[in-house]
Amino acid sequence: MIPVILAGGSGTRLWPMSRELYPKQLLAMTGACTMLQQTLMRLDGIADLEPPVVLCNETYRYGIARQLRQIGVHGFELILEPVGRNTAPAIAVAALKAMSRSEDEQILVLPADHLIRDAVAFHKAVGTAAAFARQGYLTTFGVVPQSPETGYGYIRKGPAVDTGGAGAGKPEAFAISRFVEKPDLETAQQYLDSGQYCWNSGMFLFQAADIWEEVKHFAPDMADACSLAIKHGRVENDALFLDPGAFGRCRSDSIDYSVMEKTAKGVMVPLDAGWSDLGSWAAMWECGTRDENGNVCTGDVWVEKTKNSLVFSQSRLVAAAGIRDLVIVETADAVLVADRTRSQEVKSVVSGLKARNRRQAFLHPTRFLSWGVVIEIHTDAQCAVRRIEIDPEKSFEIISPADAACCWSVISGSGWMIRDQGREKMDQGFCGHIGPKQRLGVEACGQAPLVILETSVPAAGPDHLLG
C-alpha cells in the first residue's frame, strides 16, 4: 500500500499563519510537528506500507522534502504539479505511478492537513477499506458527524455492504447513495438527526488499477492528459516534474465529481476517529485544549476576563482583556482579529489583500530552499535583517545585492565563505562584511546547520539568496 499525500492546497482560511506560498500543511498547528508530518506519522503501525508519494506544487518542494527527512521518512517521491487541477488529476497521476511499481498496488489517498486524534480507530478503518478495495470497491471514508456542521460536504449512506467475511453485526461499509454539498444549518441538523449522513473527509483507498480504469471510463480526456504529463515529464532527484503543457491542458475536477458520484463501485467506510479538516480558526478553537473559561491560548499569551476565545501568538506577547468569542492571531508581519463565529470570512480578507497586492497575502517570513531556510526578521527603509540556515554539507553561491552592503554574523555551526581571494572559515562569532555585487560561495560543514544573521544596509530583499 502506497500512501498518497495531497499537499498542494494553498493557505487562505488560516491566514495570517498560513499563506499562499506557505500553507497550513507545512505549519505546526496542533503540536510540535507540522500537519504534513502528523499525517505521515499516524500511519506508523499500518502493515505493508511503502514509501509515500507526495503531490504538491513546485513552490512547496523543498519545504516538504525537508519536513519528511526531519521525521525519518526516506525513499519518498514528490510529484510536482505545474498548476493546480484539483483532486481527480492528482489521484489519476498517483494511480499511474503506483501501477508502474505493481499492478496490484493499493493507494491510500490522504490530504496533508487534516487532524485525526484516534490513530487506532483510523488504522482499523484503513484495514476495513483495504479489504473492500481488494474486492474491487472504490472506498471513501465518511466521518461520523458530531454536530450540524455547515462547513463540510456530506455523503448519504446507501445499503450496507459486506465483504463476505464480516458476518452479522454492525455494518462495516455502505454503498454511496449520493454526495451533497455544504448545507445550511437547518439542513445540517436534519442530516445529523437522521443518522444517514457522514461528513465527506476527502480520504480514499483504492486499488490503483481500479481507480485508473474508472478515470479512463468517466473522464477519458483527463486520463490522456495525465498519461502525457507523466510521459513527457522530467525526473530530478526525488521529484517528478509533470509536463506543464500536458497537465496544463487537463481540466480541473474533484475525484468526487469526476468518478465517485458516477461509479457503481463506490462504498463508504464510516470513520469515528476525532477527525477535523481544521478549515477555519473556529475549527482550531473547537479542536484545541480550552481552559476553564473556554479559551484556547498558544504561545506567549496573557488573558484576563476573557471567554471562549482563541489567542495565538507567534513572535511576541499578546494580552487580551474583557473580550469573548474572538480570534486573535499574531505573526511576525500581520495580526488578525475576528469574531470567532465568523472566522470563515478570513477568506474575503485575503482576497482583498491580494487585490491590493499586499505581500502578507502571498509571502511568509519563512522560505525553504534546496540548501536550507531563509527567515525574514525585520525590514524597514533603512535595513533588512534575516536568518539564514544552511543544512549540513550543503552549499550555494550568491551575488550580493547591487545597492546594499551586507554583514554576516555566525550564530551557530561552522562553514566556509569562498571569495576570489580564497576560503575563510566561519565559526560561531564570525563577522564578515560583503560589499555590493560581490560573488561568493558558502559551504556548511559539520553535523549541525550553519546559522547566519544577515543585516543589509540599506534594506535589500532576499532575492540574492533565493536564486
Side-chain angles (χ1 to χ4, degrees), residues 294-357:
N295 300 310
V296 175
C297 298
T298 302
D300 191 5
V301 171
W302 185 272
V303 292
E304 294 275 0
K305 298 179 181 179
T306 294
K307 292 186 177 181
N308 301 328
S309 295
L310 182 146
V311 186
F312 198 113
S313 167
Q314 187 178 59
S315 63
R316 73 201 74 192
L317 170 66
V318 173
I323 64 170
R324 64 188 306 147
D325 299 320
L326 288 185
V327 168
I328 302 173
V329 182
E330 179 274 337
T331 67
D333 62 347
V335 176
L336 169 72
V337 180
D339 185 323
R340 179 173 56 79
T341 64
R342 301 175 63 180
S343 63
Q344 295 279 4
E345 295 178 20
V346 171
K347 292 181 70 174
S348 64
V349 171
V350 177
S351 296
L353 293 172
K354 287 182 177 180
R356 290 161 179 79
N357 202 32

Side-chain angles (χ1 to χ4, degrees), residues 254-275:
S254 73
I255 197 69
D256 291 345
Y257 286 132
S258 60
V259 173
M260 297 301 291
E261 291 186 357
K262 302 172 182 177
T263 183
K265 299 178 180 180
V267 298
M268 179 185 69
V269 173
L271 174 67
D272 190 359
W275 174 92

Side-chain angles (χ1 to χ4, degrees), residues 30 39 58 130 144 154 161 171 189 212 339 347-348 354 360 405 448:
T30 61
T39 298
E58 295 179 19
V144 178
Y154 285 70
V161 180
Q189 186 64 57
W212 176 245
D339 185 323
K347 292 181 70 174
S348 64
K354 287 182 177 180
Q360 292 89 342

Side-chain angles (χ1 to χ4, degrees), residues 15 57 86 95 142 168 191 202 206 211 228 289 329 367 407 414 421 467:
W15 185 89
N57 65 43
N86 214 318
Y191 290 167
F206 313 117
I211 187 63
L228 290 173
T289 301
V329 182
R367 302 197 214 178
C407 177
S414 62
Q421 57 267 43

Side-chain angles (χ1 to χ4, degrees), residues 12-318:
T12 56
R13 293 183 293 176
L14 292 182
W15 185 89
M17 279 291 291
S18 63
R19 312 285 173 93
E20 181 172 317
L21 300 181
Y22 200 96
K24 71 174 178 177
Q25 57 264 31
L26 299 181
L27 295 170
M29 304 297 296
T30 61
C33 293
T34 68
M35 303 307 297
L36 169 67
Q37 290 171 329
Q38 290 184 40
T39 298
L40 287 161
M41 290 165 65
R42 77 171 61 100
L43 301 179
D44 188 33
I46 297 177
D48 301 321
L49 280 185
E50 297 190 35
V53 171
V54 182
L55 289 103
C56 62
N57 65 43
E58 295 179 19
T59 304
Y60 306 157
R61 174 191 179 186
Y62 296 122
I64 285 175
R66 182 185 182 89
Q67 291 190 3
L68 296 187
R69 288 191 287 266
Q70 285 175 343
I71 59 171
V73 175
H74 301 285
F76 56 85
E77 181 176 7
L78 302 181
I79 299 179
L80 305 181
E81 300 172 310
V83 290
R85 286 294 181 260
N86 214 318
T87 56
I91 291 172
V93 165
L96 263 181
K97 288 296 294 179
M99 291 165 59
S100 69
R101 298 187 190 180
S102 169
E103 289 288 332
D104 297 326
E105 286 286 2
Q106 290 186 333
I107 56 174
L108 173 61
V109 180
L110 304 170
D113 57 358
H114 289 184
L115 174 68
I116 296 177
R117 296 195 180 277
D118 189 342
V120 174
F122 174 63
H123 290 187
K124 183 178 179 181
V126 169
T128 299
F132 281 97
R134 282 191 290 271
Q135 294 192 19
Y137 291 106
L138 306 180
T139 60
T140 186
F141 297 88
V143 176
V144 178
Q146 307 298 320
S147 61
E149 178 60 55
T150 60
Y152 301 143
Y154 285 70
I155 304 173
R156 181 178 172 83
K157 298 175 184 176
V161 180
D162 192 353
T163 61
K170 189 175 181 180
E172 292 186 295
F174 298 87
I176 296 171
S177 174
R178 64 187 178 105
F179 289 83
V180 294
E181 294 296 331
K182 299 174 183 178
D184 59 28
L185 183 59
E186 181 180 356
T187 304
Q189 186 64 57
Q190 293 172 1
Y191 290 167
L192 181 66
D193 294 340
S194 74
Q196 295 302 306
Y197 290 83
C198 288
W199 294 334
N200 185 356
S201 71
M203 301 187 294
F204 306 90
L205 201 156
F206 313 117
Q207 294 291 139
D210 290 339
I211 187 63
W212 176 245
E213 286 301 317
E214 294 296 271
V215 171
K216 288 198 299 182
H217 178 70
F218 292 111
D221 59 319
M222 183 182 297
D224 290 342
C226 290
S227 296
L228 290 173
I230 293 177
K231 180 179 179 181
H232 298 300
R234 62 182 176 88
V235 176
E236 181 182 302
N237 298 325
D238 55 11
L240 167 64
F241 290 75
L242 296 176
D243 179 71
F247 201 72
R249 289 190 292 273
C250 183
R251 60 185 168 88
S252 178
D253 205 356
S254 73
I255 197 69
D256 291 345
Y257 286 132
S258 60
V259 173
M260 297 301 291
E261 291 186 357
K262 302 172 182 177
T263 183
K265 299 178 180 180
V267 298
M268 179 185 69
V269 173
L271 174 67
D272 190 359
W275 174 92
S276 173
D277 76 344
L278 298 180
S280 67
W281 286 114
M284 288 292 298
W285 178 81
E286 289 283 353
C287 295
T289 301
R290 295 191 283 276
D291 64 17
E292 65 274 11
N293 292 311
N295 300 310
V296 175
C297 298
T298 302
D300 191 5
V301 171
W302 185 272
V303 292
E304 294 275 0
K305 298 179 181 179
T306 294
K307 292 186 177 181
N308 301 328
S309 295
L310 182 146
V311 186
F312 198 113
S313 167
Q314 187 178 59
S315 63
R316 73 201 74 192
L317 170 66
V318 173

